[in-house]
Amino acid sequence: MATLPMAPPAAAISSFTTRPLYSPSSRSHRLLLARFFSAAPAPARAKGLRAAASAVEVGGVKIAREDVVKEDDPTNNVPDTIFSKIGLQLHRRDNHPLGILKNTIYDYFDKNFTGQFDKFDDLCPLVSVKQNFDDVLVPSDHVSRSYNDTYYVDGQTVLRCHTSAHQAELLRDGHTHFLVTGDVYRRDSIDSTHYPVFHQMEGFHVFSPDEWSGSGMDGTAYAAAELKKTLEGLARHLFGAVEMRWVDTYFPFTNPSFELEIYFQDDWLEVLGCGVTEQEILKRNGRRDHVAWAFGLGLERLAMVLFDIPDIRLFWSNDKRFTSQFSEGKLGVKFKPFSKFPPCYKDMSFWINDAFTENNLCEVVRGIAGDLVEEVKLIDNFTNKKGMTSHCYRIAYRSMERSLTDEEINNLQLNVREAVKDKLKVELR
Ligand code: PHE
């Protein structure tokens, strides 16, 4: 069991839900989910991403492109590639792996807590910095607040980076048992398990003193025991009789905090983060003297395992050969890959500057190549006698749907090089 650190280290690596966000635990054997950056609205390409739609509606809120993408505003870092995902709500499609998974989790709660959990899956992903961070006690200097990690619409507004952003308001509205499913946004590196938009489900359960008074436990111990029982049951509901283990971890909003790992395909896989809610959150939101548990799980990561989906980009595919393989209520139908097009690798080297980050690079690359980029990987790194540091990145291009021509890839790479030079002000070698 890991010990509970008081605060996450600056370069903390991800909770199960994905990234170097709240939990400092990092194990290389884990699948990690996705995200990244851009200041770089890739010229021609990005514009075509959402052909005509310049406004979408989510939960009754109209969101126009100009509300979210502000190229000349230094407090904004949302690229068109990200705007193009808002409102798609893959988790609300009953025939999509994410919708099927969401509904299966709903079934579990309906069966075990009949009528108790209120469900939300249409809350607007644009939230205030207060909702996303302050309300859940994320320290002011926490790495997850940086422009490198989070999409800011302006200094006060972000695209939520977790569904925990809705805990406080739902508590204040009087809800004591709730599930919140939604798209969440994080700047990140690029590989087959990382994408800057993914989906989470938050669970929250408040207990009043009379519920634990006869248990012989204090409120915290009672909530922790209930939490573990509930989530072990959920894991069995999804995966069958699996081996599982609890790992202690850190989140700013829960104490104690845990991750649940399941043994799957010869490895321990982190499937969710959870814990007993900090008293301060309950106190501030009308539930003094109560206790609560909360969890956050990443739907893509569970769905990749349950449906054998090998690349996170596939969730966004409209290709019939993908979408037609899934149907309502059928959890765990194994995906049959319809193509195994070979990847094409291109290397690029440059001298970095102080402002350089890998998330920024990845967003520029994604802005040009879109979902044709499969991975961006640092393969060489050295500092010369003058103190200049050079990075060499290998970019893997591969379409999930078709073969790419040499000409197309060479063009992409040429445009990527130009954009990287222009936007990141690095010196190509
Ligand atoms: N919000 C956390 C994350 O995104 C997950 C979590 C939710 C952990 C609720 C504890 C309680 O990583």
Side-chain angles (χ1 to χ4, degrees):
M1 286 291 193
T3 50
L4 296 176
M6 295 311 290
I13 300 295
S14 169
S15 76
F16 102 104
T17 46
T18 321
R19 67 149 128 182
L21 178 56
Y22 304 111
S23 162
S25 60
S26 161
R27 268 154 286 174
S28 56
H29 67 270
R30 288 185 177 170
L31 266 180
L32 293 174
L33 283 186
R35 69 289 169 48
F36 64 95
F37 151 111
S38 144
R45 274 198 68 86
K47 294 236 163 65
L49 285 172
R50 190 195 288 277
S54 56
V56 289
E57 202 176 306
V58 185
V61 181
K62 266 231 167 65
I63 306 173
R65 178 183 180 272
E66 59 269 25
D67 297 334
V68 181
V69 183
K70 303 173 185 189
E71 277 147 38
D72 302 325
D73 181 347
T75 69
N76 178 289
N77 63 354
V78 183
D80 275 299
T81 46
I82 291 298
F83 171 67
S84 72
K85 299 293 191 282
I86 297 175
L88 294 182
Q89 298 188 309
L90 303 180
H91 59 284
R92 300 185 74 206
R93 302 182 187 176
D94 292 333
N95 290 317
H96 188 280
L98 299 180
I100 298 167
L101 176 56
K102 180 196 77 173
N103 289 330
T104 310
I105 301 174
Y106 279 1
D107 291 344
Y108 172 76
F109 281 92
D110 287 343
K111 207 166 98 203
N112 292 281
F113 301 87
T114 314
Q116 292 182 47
F117 275 82
D118 300 322
K119 305 181 187 88
F120 301 88
D121 70 355
D122 194 24
L123 300 177
C124 183
L126 283 174
V127 300
S128 63
V129 167
K130 178 175 175 298
Q131 287 172 295
N132 199 72
F133 297 121
D134 304 331
D135 283 354
V136 283
L137 314 178
V138 176
S140 57
D141 59 352
H142 196 279
V143 60
S144 64
R145 290 186 184 246
S146 70
Y147 272 71
N148 191 53
D149 281 37
T150 290
Y151 288 105
Y152 281 81
V153 170
D154 55 43
Q156 287 78 46
T157 316
V158 297
L159 283 164
R160 67 183 163 215
C161 71
H162 57 170
T163 43
S164 303
H166 300 288
Q167 285 185 5
E169 55 178 317
L170 291 172
L171 276 172
R172 279 198 300 279
D173 287 348
H175 300 284
T176 55
H177 301 63
F178 53 84
L179 299 171
V180 179
T181 313
D183 34 314
V184 299
Y185 299 77
R186 297 181 188 179
R187 301 185 75 234
D188 209 343
S189 46
I190 297 180
D191 65 35
S192 66
T193 60
H194 286 78
Y195 202 81
V197 188
F198 61 99
H199 298 75
Q200 284 190 326
M201 186 188 291
E202 189 88 2
F204 205 95
H205 186 323
V206 181
F207 300 89
S208 54
D210 53 300
E211 288 178 83
W212 75 82
S213 56
S215 71
M217 287 183 257
D218 64 24
T220 302
Y222 181 81
E226 285 295 313
L227 171 66
K228 289 184 173 180
K229 197 171 73 189
T230 302
L231 293 176
E232 286 169 8
L234 175 61
R236 271 192 302 273
H237 180 71
L238 298 176
F239 290 95
V242 280
E243 255 194 276
M244 34 191 143
R245 68 181 184 191
W246 290 100
V247 179
D248 291 346
T249 189
Y250 166 86
F251 297 104
F253 26 89
T254 48
N255 187 16
S257 303
F258 314 101
E259 286 164 355
L260 177 62
E261 297 188 341
I262 60 171
Y263 199 68
F264 197 79
Q265 294 172 350
D266 304 328
D267 214 347
W268 287 103
L269 175 78
E270 182 189 341
V271 293
L272 59 83
C274 64
V276 178
T277 298
E278 283 287 356
Q279 272 304 311
E280 183 65 20
I281 297 176
L282 294 170
K283 198 169 94 192
R284 284 187 196 173
N285 298 289
R287 294 287 165 187
R288 191 188 286 274
D289 301 327
H290 290 60
V291 296
W293 57 240
F295 69 79
L297 58 81
L299 293 179
E300 274 84 348
R301 147 161 250 184
L302 287 175
M304 286 178 84
V305 174
L306 289 163
F307 294 93
D308 264 355
I309 294 173
D311 191 296
I312 195 164
R313 291 172 293 167
L314 281 162
F315 290 104
W316 299 94
S317 175
N318 288 321
D319 191 312
K320 283 268 175 318
R321 291 169 296 175
F322 177 77
T323 56
S324 68
Q325 293 195 32
F326 308 100
S327 47
E328 186 168 356
K330 297 222 169 89
L331 185 79
V333 171
K334 299 302 178 204
F335 170 66
K336 289 182 215 58
F338 46 82
S339 68
K340 280 222 172 74
F341 301 110
C344 175
Y345 299 100
K346 296 281 176 191
D347 294 351
M348 70 183 298
S349 301
F350 45 83
W351 299 107
I352 63 163
N353 51 41
D354 289 346
F356 177 82
T357 69
E358 193 169 303
N359 287 359
N360 291 357
L361 171 70
C362 287
E363 193 143 274
V364 173
V365 176
R366 192 97 73 173
I368 299 290
D371 285 356
L372 296 181
V373 56
E374 177 166 284
E375 187 171 35
V376 175
K377 190 169 161 188
L378 182 66
I379 56 167
D380 190 37
N381 177 3
F382 70 89
T383 302
N384 71 8
K385 287 200 192 105
K386 291 189 212 153
M388 293 161 72
T389 298
S390 166
H391 283 183
C392 179
Y393 280 91
R394 176 158 296 165
I395 304 178
Y397 295 101
R398 174 177 7 208
S399 166
M400 295 277 98
E401 289 151 9
R402 60 193 177 85
S403 34
L404 302 172
T405 64
D406 285 347
E407 196 193 345
E408 192 174 3
I409 290 166
N410 289 338
N411 259 327
L412 281 175
Q413 180 67 2
L414 213 69
N415 290 337
V416 164
R417 288 176 66 87
E418 281 301 300
V420 166
K421 189 173 76 184
D422 286 0
K423 311 283 181 198
L424 305 180
K425 310 276 183 269
V426 297
E427 194 188 322
L428 299 184
R429 306 181 52 217

